[in-house]
Amino acid sequence: VVNARETDIAYAIEFIEKALTLFSRYGDRTSQANCFYELGYVYYDSENLDKAEQFFTKALKLYADLGMSRNQADVLSGLGRVHLEVDDYAAALKSFEEGVTLYREDGDTIGEANLLQYMANAYVSMGRAGEALDQLERSRDIYITTGDAEGIQMAENNMAWVKDNM
């Protein structure tokens, strides 16, 4: 018996792969990269982390070839999350740090702040509370500057959790 979620995932994969075939046939490299990125998240959401990493890596390379740094940062976020899931914290931090740099260079302060939150998660997983708090404070400061009330609350809640639990 196949449940609805498995059916939806299978349909999404089939749909994206068909689109990828068409984009490949017509040489639309940006759309190909977008398909690889979307497949990465479909596989991530279905907990097939090897496939997720494979498609995120393809997307990252293609976006880099196309000079699409904002998209590279998005992919690095996905790759970092895959690495977190498999407890490869050094690789997660590397992906997040590269993504933060790209978001900063692109002027995407919210993307930067969000990735700093993920970096904090990696540091927490490594038992490095001080470094986690540093990232959370940087993230909160960005949210304050941009007026993102939800982001401020999230960062402050995470800071309180780290202080109370580590």
Side-chain angles (χ1 to χ4, degrees):
V1 176
V2 177
N3 69 34
R5 179 169 158 54
E6 290 171 347
T7 302
D8 291 344
I9 289 169
Y11 177 75
I13 291 168
E14 178 184 353
F15 180 81
I16 297 169
E17 285 178 345
K18 284 180 181 177
L20 181 57
T21 299
L22 290 173
F23 295 134
S24 297
R25 182 178 307 147
Y26 295 106
D28 184 344
R29 297 177 72 215
T30 299
S31 295
Q32 287 175 287
N34 293 340
C35 287
F36 290 143
Y37 174 73
E38 294 301 328
L39 283 167
Y41 268 109
V42 170
Y43 282 113
Y44 176 83
D45 289 341
S46 66
E47 300 177 3
N48 187 337
L49 300 178
D50 289 336
K51 284 269 197 180
E53 182 176 19
Q54 175 187 8
F55 283 105
F56 283 141
T57 301
K58 287 181 179 184
L60 185 62
K61 180 177 180 348
L62 199 45
Y63 284 137
D65 290 348
L66 295 166
M68 299 175 72
S69 62
R70 169 68 168 75
N71 299 78
Q72 287 175 260
D74 292 341
V75 173
L76 286 163
S77 175
L79 270 174
R81 291 171 64 188
V82 167
H83 296 306
L84 273 180
E85 290 288 329
V86 299
D87 300 335
D88 187 351
Y89 306 122
L93 285 171
K94 183 176 185 287
S95 292
F96 295 145
E97 288 168 353
E98 289 176 16
V100 163
T101 299
L102 291 172
Y103 280 135
R104 188 178 304 123
E105 289 171 356
D106 200 50
D108 184 346
T109 54
I110 297 300
E112 178 183 352
N114 291 339
L115 270 192
L116 291 169
Q117 294 280 322
Y118 282 116
M119 285 179 69
N121 290 344
Y123 283 123
V124 164
S125 297
M126 298 167 74
R128 294 163 57 178
E131 289 161 296
L133 287 171
D134 290 345
Q135 302 313 312
L136 292 169
E137 288 171 4
R138 288 176 57 202
S139 177
R140 182 201 56 203
D141 292 347
I142 292 170
Y143 292 132
I144 289 170
T145 300
T146 61
D148 184 336
E150 286 182 36
I152 295 166
Q153 186 64 51
M154 176 177 59
E156 289 179 348
N157 287 345
N158 289 337
M159 289 167 64
W161 185 92
V162 170
K163 289 174 183 175
D164 289 345
N165 294 286
M166 295 191 74

